[in-house]
Amino acid sequence: MARTPPTKPRKNALQARSRATVDALVEATARILVRDGFEKASTNRIAEIAGVSVGSLYQYFPSKEALVAAVIDRHNEEIMGIVRTALAEVADLPIDKAVRKLVTIAIEAHRIDPKLHRVLAEQIPRTGQLKDVEAFNREVHDLVRTYLESRRKEMRKIDLDVATFICVSSIEAVAHNTVLNGPEMLSEKMVRTLVDETTRMVVGYLR
Amino acid sequence: MARTPPTKPRKNALQARSRATVDALVEATARILVRDGFEKASTNRIAEIAGVSVGSLYQYFPSKEALVAAVIDRHNEEIMGIVRTALAEVADLPIDKAVRKLVTIAIEAHRIDPKLHRVLAEQIPRTGQLKDVEAFNREVHDLVRTYLESRRKEMRKIDLDVATFICVSSIEAVAHNTVLNGPEMLSEKMVRTLVDETTRMVVGYLR
DNA sequence: GTATAATGCGAGCATTCGCTCGCTTTTCCT
DNA sequence: AGGAAAAGCGAGCGAATGCTCGCATTATAC
């Protein structure tokens, strides 16, 4: 048999299979969380649904918590992606346009897999994940603060950190509660009204 | 054997002791939740800390969930008491004064046993308690809505339910995040600033 | 082709948990 | 005093869970 080239020797095969296994496990965890809730999500069950053995599960995730954390990370990354993109797009817009976009985006972000979002928000005991949640909040805060800083001339004199804190908290809460209150509040018309009103409040506050 | 008198026959003795037992159990549950978190709060442990046997525990609480629910109810009742009182006091005040008071109260209410509040918010899987939380939110919403209705002339034309939803969500979120962010944000000065700013935002929005 | 390492397997262990049940102690009533 | 009812007790059961470990299977290297 011919020689195998020196490059790319020892991790291909390993990755092809194990990557798939890891993905299947995370996906299975998410599905069980949505379908049966946190309490019913045992490692045995997760492995079963993923079509993987418990033993293999524990080769890639040291604990059940790690598995759930992976699901949370994936979800958070999705949301952060949206938020980052939105804030980049908004960088050159005046405050009123920017806030409107951000409010819209906030609701949209919460609408990604709302069932999973609900389970993560309501059923997952935040044990150890505190760091992650904090980092998440921190990044959002910093991004928004940076934007506001660049638009300071449109604003009244105001402590930037306080303003950011209040605006982010409020927008997030409206988006969160809107989505959690079920599909009733998610009619096109309702969403538009909420975006209008929240934007009005925040913009009015900032300047 | 003589007849047992019709009035107050069968619950006196029961109440002196059992009242104390029930209280001890609820108190112990709260303490364990704060000290060790939800996961460590087993019924055996709760009974032990309460100085009561597991058997007795199950005479008064049909399940662990019921015990936790009792703690939540107690906490919610405390908060609702404050909120109800505040809204009564505020009924005759103009919007700016009223909102300021409500924001202050919201933070104060969240400051009742903040550690317990944090555990309840972050660690308790909301399973079955959904109804209670909904009822709680509902009552707050209705109280605030009623106040705003009585002050409509001071306000711009606006959908009352939407306005209530946005204001309550925002105020609650600011209070919640303020308290959860730890004692750093709770200096006298900081709190005053937050109250000022949040009040400004909400009042500006409403009129 | 064969040795070696990577990956996967799953019965089962140790532990914990929620909860029951047969019994004792305390309180009340007469 | 005496007996019935209320309250309390706690060893322990059955079920479930997170996780281990010795072995089987598959891929890679040469």
Side-chain angles (χ1 to χ4, degrees):
Chain A
M1 197 197 283
R3 319 259 32 274
T4 35
T7 37
K8 63 175 177 178
R10 60 184 48 160
K11 56 181 173 174
N12 288 28
L14 181 145
Q15 285 179 344
R17 275 207 292 177
S18 64
R19 244 330 257 197
T21 301
V22 168
D23 282 358
L25 285 168
V26 175
E27 181 57 32
T29 305
R31 280 187 48 189
I32 294 185
L33 284 178
V34 169
R35 270 211 340 227
D36 306 316
F38 179 75
E39 309 239 285
K40 298 285 179 188
S42 75
T43 50
N44 287 326
R45 213 166 144 72
I46 291 170
E48 190 187 338
I49 298 286
V52 160
S53 79
V54 219
S56 299
L57 184 157
Y58 277 94
Q59 280 190 340
Y60 300 105
F61 297 94
S63 71
K64 178 189 175 177
E65 217 189 29
L67 220 21
V68 174
V71 172
I72 294 178
D73 279 357
R74 203 175 67 171
H75 187 69
N76 277 353
E77 263 321 306
E78 254 181 294
I79 290 183
M80 274 309 308
I82 294 185
V83 172
R84 275 190 283 255
T85 306
L87 270 153
E89 287 175 15
V90 133
D92 294 327
L93 297 182
I95 281 186
D96 54 344
K97 301 284 182 193
V99 170
R100 164 169 290 273
K101 173 118 194 167
L102 291 180
V103 173
T104 308
I105 281 298
I107 293 181
E108 251 175 51
H110 280 78
R111 281 225 257 181
I112 298 177
D113 204 342
K115 288 182 185 177
L116 180 60
H117 186 79
R118 182 177 209 120
V119 173
L120 296 183
E122 293 185 341
Q123 288 190 35
I124 308 293
R126 287 169 216 38
T127 309
Q129 263 100 30
L130 285 172
K131 283 273 186 293
D132 296 321
V133 176
E134 263 174 48
F136 180 84
N137 289 337
R138 178 80 190 208
E139 184 174 354
V140 174
H141 182 95
D142 287 351
L143 284 172
V144 171
R145 200 203 127 104
T146 301
Y147 167 77
L148 288 180
E149 204 159 11
S150 78
R151 290 280 156 178
R152 212 160 192 170
K153 25 188 164 163
E154 301 172 42
M155 292 163 55
R156 50 184 247 267
K157 184 163 174 293
I158 184 176
D159 182 308
L160 265 191
D161 281 311
V162 170
T164 305
F165 174 76
I166 290 180
C167 292
V168 171
S169 295
S170 299
I171 293 174
E172 208 277 338
V174 169
H176 186 82
N177 290 337
T178 300
V179 173
L180 284 207
N181 277 10
E184 337 124 20
M185 293 200 62
L186 285 173
S187 73
E188 279 303 312
K189 192 172 175 182
M190 195 69 226
V191 170
R192 219 173 317 125
T193 306
L194 283 168
V195 171
D196 286 348
E197 294 293 312
T198 308
T199 302
R200 174 174 193 148
M201 176 176 78
V202 172
V203 172
Y205 167 65
L206 287 173
R207 62 186 183 192
Chain B
M1 195 204 291
R3 313 266 36 271
T4 36
T7 35
K8 59 176 177 171
R10 57 186 50 164
K11 55 181 174 173
N12 285 28
L14 181 145
Q15 282 178 347
R17 276 209 289 176
S18 64
R19 227 358 239 192
T21 301
V22 168
D23 282 357
L25 284 167
V26 175
E27 183 56 33
T29 306
R31 280 188 50 188
I32 295 185
L33 284 178
V34 169
R35 271 210 341 225
D36 307 316
F38 178 76
E39 309 239 284
K40 298 284 179 189
S42 74
T43 51
N44 287 327
R45 214 166 144 73
I46 290 170
E48 190 188 338
I49 298 285
V52 160
S53 77
V54 219
S56 300
L57 183 157
Y58 278 94
Q59 281 189 340
Y60 301 105
F61 297 94
S63 69
K64 177 188 175 176
E65 215 189 32
L67 221 21
V68 174
V71 173
I72 294 179
D73 279 357
R74 202 175 69 171
H75 187 70
N76 277 353
E77 263 320 306
E78 253 181 295
I79 290 184
M80 273 311 306
I82 295 185
V83 171
R84 275 189 284 254
T85 307
L87 270 151
E89 287 176 15
V90 133
D92 293 327
L93 298 181
I95 281 185
D96 54 343
K97 301 284 181 192
V99 169
R100 163 169 290 274
K101 173 119 194 166
L102 292 180
V103 173
T104 307
I105 281 299
I107 293 180
E108 252 176 51
H110 279 79
R111 281 225 257 181
I112 297 177
D113 205 340
K115 289 182 185 176
L116 180 61
H117 186 79
R118 181 179 209 119
V119 172
L120 296 183
E122 294 185 339
Q123 287 189 35
I124 308 293
R126 290 169 213 38
T127 308
Q129 263 101 29
L130 285 172
K131 283 276 185 292
D132 296 321
V133 175
E134 262 173 51
F136 181 84
N137 289 337
R138 178 79 189 209
E139 184 174 355
V140 174
H141 181 95
D142 288 351
L143 285 172
V144 172
R145 199 203 128 105
T146 301
Y147 167 78
L148 289 181
E149 204 158 12
S150 78
R151 289 282 157 176
R152 211 160 193 170
K153 14 180 173 168
E154 301 172 41
M155 294 163 52
R156 49 183 248 267
K157 185 164 174 292
I158 183 177
D159 182 309
L160 265 191
D161 282 311
V162 171
T164 306
F165 175 77
I166 290 180
C167 293
V168 171
S169 295
S170 298
I171 293 174
E172 207 278 337
V174 169
H176 186 84
N177 290 337
T178 300
V179 173
L180 285 208
N181 276 11
E184 336 124 22
M185 295 200 60
L186 286 174
S187 73
E188 279 302 311
K189 193 172 175 182
M190 194 69 226
V191 170
R192 219 173 317 125
T193 306
L194 283 168
V195 171
D196 286 347
E197 294 294 311
T198 307
T199 302
R200 175 176 190 145
M201 176 176 78
V202 172
V203 172
Y205 167 66
L206 286 173
R207 63 185 184 191

